[in-house]
Amino acid sequence: MTLWVAGSNARGQLGTGDEEDSHGLKQVLFDLKGDQRAEPPGIVLEIACGSNHTLALIHAMPQLTVSLWGTGDGSRGQLGLSVSGSSLNVFKRLNLGEALGSHELTMIQASWESSFVVIRSENGDRILSFGSNEFGLLGTGESSLLHGIQDVKIVHLFSNESDAIRVTRLKVGPRNAFAVLRHQTIVGQRDMLVGWGAGRHGQLQMRELNDTTLRGPRQVALPMRVMTWTHPTEVLDLSVGSQHALVLTSDNKIHQLGSNAKHQLPGDLSLGDVCIQLLTCGQFCPLAKGPTDNWDEIETSPTTQ
């Protein structure tokens, strides 16, 4: 397996060994103890791209361990502890320090200048954040500059702190973040959607059909509950745009959050027999993937499709 990239490379975020923009596909390089190779050190499970940095979650063989790799700008601490204040132009294994412990890495996400990982143990999941804390994006409850690896605070959202919490979805946009937290209650399993970060355009609020303009706080530094679903309804997919977000649930409903200033929300959407499987949000444009394996733009107004 090899990875191929193209595009802007001002801070080495393509991981090609230089900082020159690539107008055609080039192979990614991985630093293996000083030896640069095009072949990754295992199976690439996930890739996350920020403004000028890139993360990769890699399952190493034959050690059967999952590790975090990164390249690009690390000046805000978005590449972990060992690269803080500098940058890379090839992928290197990143250091999360004592925060990782014996936990298993399961998910990664990258925002503009911030990074997020989900780590798992038998006692539950944790979300770690590092990098820029603009708009309270690190989710610690603090809005000031923070250094090192942080824990996104979610325990306050639950009455019983001993419950094992599983993070089933984590998605971030340029200025805000959402997670789906699964936990057990006396009435059954529940999925809780929580959000934090920028909120001035109502990005952290569910939108009702008769809403015209949503307004919220400029920033929410401590994760807040947005909505909860009880089993058998569960969250299947979640996607975040610039000032809006979409949530797909197993009852074939698309829930909408945030601004509709550019007609980026589908409004009163009747899916009928169409079964949506995946969602993705561009800056001002939502897409949905159905059983035909085609991506179709959700019609949002007579003038924008």
Side-chain angles (χ1 to χ4, degrees):
M1 172 191 288
T2 56
L3 292 181
W4 298 80
V5 292
S8 174
N9 195 31
R11 298 302 302 272
Q13 63 264 39
L14 295 184
T16 54
D18 55 43
E19 295 180 359
E20 299 295 324
D21 293 349
S22 178
H23 301 283
L25 290 172
K26 295 178 66 175
Q27 282 187 322
V28 167
L29 298 177
F30 294 85
D31 187 306
L32 303 177
K33 297 181 180 180
D35 183 18
Q36 295 184 5
R37 301 180 184 179
E39 183 178 355
I43 300 171
V44 178
L45 303 177
E46 193 173 2
I47 293 176
C49 300
S51 172
N52 288 308
H53 74 290
T54 309
L55 305 176
L57 194 62
I58 297 180
H59 188 182
M61 303 293 285
Q63 299 94 332
L64 300 179
T65 58
V66 178
S67 55
L68 180 66
W69 293 66
T71 186
D73 183 19
S75 62
R76 303 295 296 273
Q78 62 266 53
L79 292 182
L81 299 177
S82 56
V83 194
S84 182
S86 60
S87 61
L88 303 172
N89 58 26
V90 297
F91 276 89
K92 287 188 176 182
R93 185 168 179 172
L94 302 183
N95 178 18
L96 297 180
E98 296 179 357
L100 180 58
S102 59
H103 291 72
E104 175 190 1
L105 286 161
T106 61
M107 298 181 203
I108 58 174
Q109 283 283 287
S111 184
W112 196 254
E113 291 182 317
S114 310
S115 301
F116 303 83
V117 300
V118 176
I119 60 175
R120 173 164 295 176
S121 73
E122 61 181 13
N123 297 321
D125 294 353
R126 293 161 55 197
I127 305 173
L128 303 181
S129 60
F130 41 102
S132 170
N133 194 34
E134 189 176 6
F135 295 96
L137 194 53
L138 296 186
T140 64
E142 301 289 336
S143 57
S144 57
L145 177 66
L146 297 172
H147 300 282
I149 311 298
Q150 312 295 327
D151 256 290
V152 174
K153 296 186 182 300
I154 56 177
V155 175
H156 67 282
L157 297 165
F158 302 90
S159 58
N160 188 351
E161 297 184 7
S162 64
D163 288 344
I165 301 168
R166 294 300 184 195
V167 180
T168 63
R169 296 285 186 276
L170 175 67
K171 293 293 178 69
V172 303
R175 292 179 171 176
N176 57 350
F178 293 91
V180 178
L181 310 179
R182 182 165 293 171
H183 63 112
Q184 195 68 30
T185 71
I186 58 174
V187 296
Q189 176 182 284
R190 282 185 173 175
D191 279 3
M192 179 190 295
L193 176 67
V194 303
W196 64 96
R200 186 167 65 89
H201 297 281
Q203 298 99 307
L204 304 179
Q205 302 173 52
M206 283 291 179
R207 192 178 187 91
E208 302 296 335
L209 294 179
N210 57 352
D211 287 336
T212 54
T213 301
L214 292 181
R215 286 288 182 264
R218 179 180 180 273
Q219 66 179 38
V220 176
L222 187 67
M224 57 176 282
R225 185 181 73 86
V226 178
M227 192 167 180
T228 300
W229 294 269
T230 301
H231 186 79
T233 303
E234 60 184 57
V235 177
L236 299 181
D237 200 15
L238 166 65
S239 189
V240 185
S242 175
Q243 297 173 0
H244 71 293
L246 298 176
V247 182
L248 175 67
T249 50
S250 57
D251 52 0
N252 207 32
K253 293 181 179 179
I254 297 178
H255 304 268
Q256 306 163 43
L257 301 89
S259 172
N260 195 34
K262 302 290 185 180
H263 304 289
Q264 62 264 53
L265 297 177
D268 187 8
L269 184 65
S270 178
L271 297 176
D273 295 331
V274 177
C275 183
I276 302 299
Q277 297 175 342
L278 295 172
L279 296 172
T280 188
C281 291
Q283 184 175 10
F284 296 117
C285 171
L287 298 172
K289 179 177 179 293
T292 61
D293 287 334
N294 293 323
W295 286 94
D296 295 311
E297 190 168 356
I298 300 175
E299 183 176 344
T300 58
S301 78
T303 58
T304 58
Q305 290 190 355

